[in-house]
């Protein structure tokens, strides 16, 4: 009996020791996941001046892409007109060739009916001296006419080949310009979207202050330009055509800038200047870059109202000089046709449409 109690006590002690030494993790409270040892500092908010310096290049790039788009569009329009002209020339050439072939066929049939001899040759073989001389003259005239007809036919065929080749080349150019337009359009939209996204993140008060910063920067640049003596000798009057162009341009003040637009409800920078001079019966190139490349250059001191001031090293912007150191221009997306100082942007040079 004592032995049984001792065995029971021993078993009880072993079980107790097993419980005390067993792992207790299952009963412990969950260990929290380790958190980040440090929090990264938030990026400092950009100042409005930094925002302006970020936005301005985007709109500048959009302006340059707009010029590329407008040029490709203008070239495609010109080439389409050329294809219309060539198509008419091809049709005329085909009709002329058909006519010459009909004449050649008529001559061949006449020779066949007369035993292979033309009427002039038959008279040459006659016994009558007078008829003989007439026959000689007719034979010579017939030979010359046949030779002339064959020469004309050959030339008509060569012209037709040239017209067809030119038309094919123009179609290729139109397609190349279509690709350029699509690429430029994509770039324009991307640059404008990036700038608008930045502006949209600003509060209304900040947007108003940003606009004021733009005006302040323009005023500073204009003051520096005027203090340089740039207007010292500028006192010329506009030409008659220049007055007409200027009247048109200033009448558009308040209308929105839209890239690729040339009126009547909206304009881009070169759309405004090209339409203004078109209203003065003086057509000029559509883009600011082509206006700079093709129109006569004028020294700033010789500038007169109606002349065009080209801006930036890539000639991507243009405004019309109105006098007293000011221009009328279509600034950029989000802005309207307005008057501003001629020295508010980097001047590349001046051109005169009616020199």
């Amino acid at each position: 009996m004592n032995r049984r109690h001792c065995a029971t006590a021993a078993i009880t002690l072993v079980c107790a020791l097993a419980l005390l030494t067993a792992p207790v993790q299952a009963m412990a409270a969950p260990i929290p996941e380790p958190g980040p040892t440090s929090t990264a500092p938030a990026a400092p908010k950009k100042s409005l001046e930094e925002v302006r310096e970020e936005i301005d290049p985007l709109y500048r790039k959009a302006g340059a892409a707009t010029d590329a788009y407008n040029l490709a569009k203008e070239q495609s329009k010109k080439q389409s007109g050329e294809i219309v002209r060539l198509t008419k020339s091809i049709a005329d050439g085909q009709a002329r060739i058909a006519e010459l072939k009909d004449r050649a066929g008529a001559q061949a049939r006449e020779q066949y009916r007369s035993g292979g001899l033309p009427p002039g040759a038959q008279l040459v073989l006659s016994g009558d001296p007078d008829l003989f001389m007439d026959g000689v003259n007719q034979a010579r005239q017939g030979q010359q006419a046949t030779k002339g007809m064959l020469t004309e036919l050959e030339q008509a065929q060569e012209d037709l080949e040239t017209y067809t080749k030119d038309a094919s080349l123009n179609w290729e150019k139109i397609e190349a310009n279509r690709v350029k337009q699509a690429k430029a359009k994509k770039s324009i939209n991307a640059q404008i979207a990036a700038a608008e996204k930045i502006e949209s993140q600003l509060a209304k008060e900040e947007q108003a202050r940003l606009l004021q910063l733009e005006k302040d920067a323009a005023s500073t640049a204009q003051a520096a330009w005027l203090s340089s003596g740039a207007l010292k000798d500028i006192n010329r009057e506009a030409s008659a055509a220049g007055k007409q162009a200027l009247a048109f341009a200033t009448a558009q003040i308040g209308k929105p800038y839209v890239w690729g637009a040339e009126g009547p409800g909206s304009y881009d920078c070169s759309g405004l200047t090209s339409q203004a001079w078109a209203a003065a019966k003086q057509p000029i190139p559509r883009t600011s870059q082509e206006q700079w490349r093709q129109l006569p250059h004028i020294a700033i001191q010789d500038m007169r109202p109606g002349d065009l001031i080209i801006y930036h090293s890539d000639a991507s912007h243009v405004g019309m000089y109105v006098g007293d150191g000011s221009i009328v221009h279509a600034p950029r997306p989000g802005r309207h046709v307005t008057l501003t100082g001629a020295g508010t942007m980097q001047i590349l040079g001046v051109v005169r449409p009616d020199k």
Side-chain angles (χ1 to χ4, degrees), residues 281-302:
K281 305 296 189 294
Q282 185 76 39
I284 64 173
R286 167 65 175 87
T287 71
S288 59
Q289 291 177 345
E290 288 300 296
Q291 289 169 7
W292 173 246
R293 189 176 71 85
Q294 296 185 34
L295 298 178
H297 291 201
I298 300 296
I300 289 180
Q301 61 267 26
D302 295 329

Side-chain angles (χ1 to χ4, degrees), residues 2 56 126 138 169 180 189 209 229 236 259 273 305 332 348 354:
N2 287 334
D56 283 353
S126 71
Q138 289 186 31
L169 288 174
K180 286 181 184 178
N189 288 331
R209 285 168 52 205
R236 292 166 178 78
W259 68 264
T273 54
R332 66 165 177 82
L348 177 61
D354 62 339

Side-chain angles (χ1 to χ4, degrees), residues 12-253:
T12 302
L13 179 61
V14 170
C15 292
L17 289 173
L19 287 172
L20 290 173
T21 57
V24 295
Q25 293 174 347
M27 294 180 291
I31 300 174
E33 292 291 330
T37 55
S38 62
T39 303
K45 186 177 180 179
K46 293 180 181 178
S47 68
L48 284 177
E49 184 59 37
E50 289 174 327
V51 170
R52 189 180 73 82
E53 291 176 354
E54 189 175 359
I55 288 173
D56 283 353
L58 291 172
Y59 282 123
R60 281 273 312 280
K61 290 178 182 177
T66 297
D67 232 29
Y69 173 88
N70 288 336
L71 180 59
K73 182 179 178 181
E74 191 73 7
Q75 289 174 338
S76 292
K77 182 179 178 181
K78 181 179 179 182
Q79 284 148 5
S80 295
E82 183 66 12
I83 285 177
V84 171
R85 186 189 69 79
L86 288 169
T87 300
K88 184 179 184 307
S89 296
I90 289 171
D92 291 345
Q94 289 172 334
R96 183 59 178 158
I97 289 172
E99 178 190 349
L100 291 168
K101 286 182 176 180
D102 285 345
R103 284 170 53 189
Q107 285 188 0
R109 288 191 295 274
E110 178 63 27
Q111 288 182 7
Y112 177 78
R113 284 194 295 268
S114 60
L117 294 175
Q122 294 178 32
L123 291 172
V124 168
L125 297 176
S126 71
D128 189 319
D130 292 333
L131 291 176
F132 174 80
M133 292 307 298
D134 289 341
V136 170
N137 292 331
Q138 289 186 31
R140 286 176 179 172
Q141 291 173 2
Q143 288 174 351
Q144 290 175 352
T146 300
K147 183 178 180 181
M149 183 182 64
L150 292 175
T151 300
E152 188 176 354
L153 178 60
E154 183 179 350
Q155 185 61 53
Q157 289 173 331
E158 289 179 1
D159 290 345
L160 185 60
E161 290 176 5
T162 300
Y163 295 148
T164 303
K165 183 178 179 181
D166 288 348
S168 177
L169 288 174
N170 275 279
W171 276 118
E172 291 175 6
K173 289 178 181 178
I174 284 179
E175 177 58 20
N177 280 321
R178 186 194 64 76
V179 173
K180 286 181 184 178
Q181 287 181 55
K183 184 177 179 181
K185 184 176 182 179
K186 184 177 180 181
S187 176
I188 294 164
N189 288 331
Q191 302 295 340
I192 293 176
E196 289 178 342
K197 181 179 179 181
I198 294 171
E199 288 188 278
S200 68
Q201 294 170 347
L202 300 174
K204 287 186 178 180
E205 310 82 58
E206 291 177 315
Q207 291 179 6
R209 285 168 52 205
L210 180 64
L211 178 58
Q212 188 58 50
L213 278 176
E214 290 180 10
K215 292 179 178 178
D216 292 344
S219 296
T220 300
Q222 176 72 355
W225 184 65
L226 293 176
S227 64
S228 70
L231 292 181
K232 183 179 178 181
D233 298 321
I234 301 179
N235 56 4
R236 292 166 178 78
E237 291 187 0
S239 65
K243 290 178 181 178
Q244 288 181 300
L246 198 54
F248 179 94
T250 53
Q252 312 312 310
I253 290 175

